[in-house]
C-alpha cells in the first residue's frame, strides 16, 4: 500500500476500510496518494473511475518539489496572486480532484513556509478596488461615500 506522505494529507483515513484500500490501490504507482476528503463517497467514486466517468489525479501532480510542495500548492499561489482570494473564499473542487491537495491545509503550509501571508483586514484594504471598498461600507450600513475614489475610501477607515 502506497503510504508515502500519508501524514501530510490523509492521516484522517482508516487504512483498514475496504473502500480506502481500493483508492490506495488505484494510486499505487503515484509518488503519493492525493488528498481524499472525508466527505467523498469512496465506493461511488471508485465505481465512477472504473467506468471512466471520473479520473485519477495525474501522477505528475503528486510529485513534490524539493521545497516539499506539490503542483497544486503552486496553483493555489497563482489563484492568490489574482488579488480576489480572501480567507472566506471557497476552494474549487479541482484542488482535490485534479491537483490532489486539501486547499485549506495547503494554504496553511504555504503561510508557514513563507510563500504566502495572511493580512489583517486593515492591511488588505490597499489591495481592494474602489467598488469592493464601497461594497464593504454598504454592508455596514454606511452612506455618503459613493463619490470618493479608492484613496478617499481608505482614508475614511480611520
Amino acid at each position: 500500500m502506497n503510504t508515502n506522505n500519508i501524514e501530510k494529507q490523509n492521516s484522517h483515513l482508516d487504512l483498514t476500510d475496504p473502500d480506502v484500500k481500493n483508492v490506495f490501490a488505484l494510486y499505487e504507482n503515484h509518488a503519493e496518494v492525493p488528498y481524499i476528503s472525508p466527505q467523498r463517497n469512496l465506493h461511488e467514486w471508485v465505481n465512477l473511475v472504473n467506468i471512466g466517468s471520473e479520473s485519477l489525479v495525474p501522477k505528475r501532480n503528486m510529485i513534490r518539489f524539493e521545497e516539499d510542495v506539490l503542483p497544486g500548492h503552486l496553483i493555489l499561489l497563482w489563484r492568490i496572486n489574482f488579488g480576489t482570494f480572501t480567507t472566506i473564499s471557497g476552494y474549487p473542487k479541482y484542488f482535490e480532484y485534479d491537483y490532489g491537495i486539501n486547499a485549506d491545509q495547503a494554504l496553511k503550509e504555504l503561510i508557514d513556509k513563507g510563500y504566502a501571508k495572511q493580512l489583517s483586514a486593515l492591511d488588505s484594504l490597499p489591495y481592494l478596488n474602489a467598488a469592493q471598498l464601497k461594497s464593504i461600507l454598504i454592508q455596514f450600513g454606511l452612506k455618503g461615500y459613493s463619490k470618493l475614489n479608492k484613496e478617499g475610501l481608505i482614508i475614511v477607515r480611520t
Side-chain angles (χ1 to χ4, degrees), residues 82-152:
F82 287 155
T84 58
F85 189 85
T86 69
T87 54
I88 60 171
S89 297
Y91 298 106
K93 286 185 177 183
Y94 66 74
F95 281 114
E96 177 181 350
Y97 287 89
D98 296 339
Y99 292 100
I101 65 167
N102 175 344
D104 188 47
Q105 178 184 335
L107 178 59
K108 291 174 184 146
E109 287 178 46
L110 292 170
I111 290 170
D112 288 346
K113 292 177 186 291
Y115 296 124
K117 64 181 181 177
Q118 185 174 350
L119 300 176
S120 69
L122 193 59
D123 291 337
S124 68
L125 291 178
Y127 297 99
L128 300 176
N129 62 37
Q132 291 168 317
L133 293 167
K134 288 176 184 177
S135 175
I136 291 169
L137 292 170
I138 289 169
Q139 284 178 332
F140 285 98
L142 301 173
K143 297 179 182 182
Y145 302 108
S146 62
K147 295 188 192 285
L148 294 177
N149 63 14
K150 178 179 175 175
E151 291 74 25

Side-chain angles (χ1 to χ4, degrees), residues 5-141:
N5 291 320
I6 191 167
E7 72 286 350
K8 292 187 178 181
Q9 297 208 105
N10 287 312
S11 60
H12 62 282
L13 296 176
D14 176 6
L15 298 179
T16 63
D17 181 313
D19 290 329
V20 171
K21 286 181 179 182
N22 287 336
V23 170
F24 274 62
L26 291 170
Y27 288 107
E28 187 62 38
N29 295 319
H30 282 56
E32 67 182 84
V33 174
Y35 170 69
I36 307 295
S37 167
Q39 286 77 36
R40 190 187 302 191
N41 181 329
L42 296 181
H43 186 74
E44 180 181 317
W45 182 79
V46 168
N47 286 337
L48 292 173
V49 167
N50 288 332
I51 64 170
S53 295
E54 289 284 346
S55 58
L56 299 178
V57 173
K59 285 182 184 182
R60 69 180 177 274
N61 289 350
M62 296 315 303
I63 299 172
R64 289 185 179 267
F65 297 107
E66 62 184 64
E67 295 83 4
D68 197 32
V69 296
L70 292 164
H73 289 83
L74 299 180
I75 298 300
L76 182 56
L77 284 171
W78 175 69
R79 290 265 328 226
I80 291 168
N81 192 49
F82 287 155
T84 58
F85 189 85
T86 69
T87 54
I88 60 171
S89 297
Y91 298 106
K93 286 185 177 183
Y94 66 74
F95 281 114
E96 177 181 350
Y97 287 89
D98 296 339
Y99 292 100
I101 65 167
N102 175 344
D104 188 47
Q105 178 184 335
L107 178 59
K108 291 174 184 146
E109 287 178 46
L110 292 170
I111 290 170
D112 288 346
K113 292 177 186 291
Y115 296 124
K117 64 181 181 177
Q118 185 174 350
L119 300 176
S120 69
L122 193 59
D123 291 337
S124 68
L125 291 178
Y127 297 99
L128 300 176
N129 62 37
Q132 291 168 317
L133 293 167
K134 288 176 184 177
S135 175
I136 291 169
L137 292 170
I138 289 169
Q139 284 178 332
F140 285 98

